[in-house]
Amino acid sequence: MQNLIDLFHNKKLFNKALQLARDGRPAGYERLEFLGDRVIGIVVAEMLYHAFPNEKEGDLAKRFVALVREETLAEVAAQIGLPALLKTTENELRHNASVLSDVCESVLGALYLDAGLDAVKQFMEPIWKPLLLSKRQAPQDPKSAVQEWVQKTFKELPVYQLTDKTGPDHQPVFTVTLSAGPYTVMGRGYSKKEAEQQAAQSFLETYCHGH
């Protein structure tokens, strides 16, 4: 795999994509993250469109969610060496899945600005292709699986409620309570999204196993 920094003409842009907030100044990567989210989405969507020509839109969407979710992006960030490149003095952030996911998006957004969509595709395809082909059946994220089961079982929708937020401002821990029918579970994570996914996974393992 080609060294990521070698793909950039503008090294300052590459460094900006890796700059976390410091001394009260906003993080350099945040606007690039917004762009990178969309860039990753279009590349992954096109890969899925060509790789599974006979699948329905709904199944493609399930695959898409699994390939662009926080956990997947954090794994990719680790694979391409981003934790060591992060510009921060807080080393615990180098292992924060939410931060790594965001920076993965920002770096690929920066690469798009610097070298164009083709360069992003060439970099992404060998990384995402094994992930894309690893499941023969379309995966289902925990929240979708919980929603289907709850609707079928109780004829209602699951309810996610933020019930606690602890920890320092730069690394808060969110607690989300998931309620459905007579059941309640909690999930925790470094983002509300992660906490909701953890709650949904716990619900599946506790109440939906075997159903």
Side-chain angles (χ1 to χ4, degrees), residues 2-77:
Q2 190 171 2
N3 195 340
L4 185 55
I5 194 170
D6 293 339
L7 299 175
F8 279 81
H9 305 292
N10 184 345
K11 309 301 184 189
K12 286 184 178 179
L13 187 61
F14 178 68
N15 288 328
K16 183 178 181 181
L18 296 163
Q19 180 64 63
L20 303 189
R22 70 184 192 279
D23 302 328
R25 285 181 283 175
Y29 71 83
E30 288 173 344
R31 282 170 52 85
L32 291 169
E33 173 202 343
F34 168 81
L35 178 62
D37 176 61
R38 277 74 184 169
V39 173
I40 291 170
I42 189 64
V43 174
V44 170
E46 183 180 341
M47 290 178 69
L48 287 169
Y49 182 83
H50 292 301
F52 302 98
N54 299 316
E55 276 197 353
K56 296 178 181 178
E57 181 271 342
D59 287 336
L60 290 176
K62 291 175 183 177
R63 292 185 184 276
F64 179 85
V65 168
L67 291 168
V68 300
R69 63 191 296 182
E70 181 178 287
E71 294 86 349
T72 302
L73 295 181
E75 288 175 15
V76 169

Side-chain angles (χ1 to χ4, degrees), residues 153-190:
T153 306
F154 300 119
K155 305 297 188 290
E156 63 181 51
L157 291 172
V159 175
Y160 295 86
Q161 185 175 7
L162 179 64
T163 49
D164 198 15
K165 180 183 174 185
T166 59
D169 288 342
H170 68 273
Q171 194 178 14
V173 177
F174 297 88
T175 301
V176 166
T177 299
L178 164 56
S179 304
Y183 304 134
T184 301
V185 297
M186 289 194 302
R188 292 184 177 85
Y190 290 115

Side-chain angles (χ1 to χ4, degrees), residues 1-3 7 31 43 49 54 74 85 89 103-104 106 122 130 133 139 141-143 159 162 181 204 211:
M1 184 172 62
Q2 190 171 2
N3 195 340
L7 299 175
R31 282 170 52 85
V43 174
Y49 182 83
N54 299 316
L85 299 176
T89 56
V103 173
C104 184
S106 71
Q122 289 173 17
L133 298 176
D141 73 285
K143 287 185 68 175
V159 175
L162 179 64
L204 287 175
H211 288 271

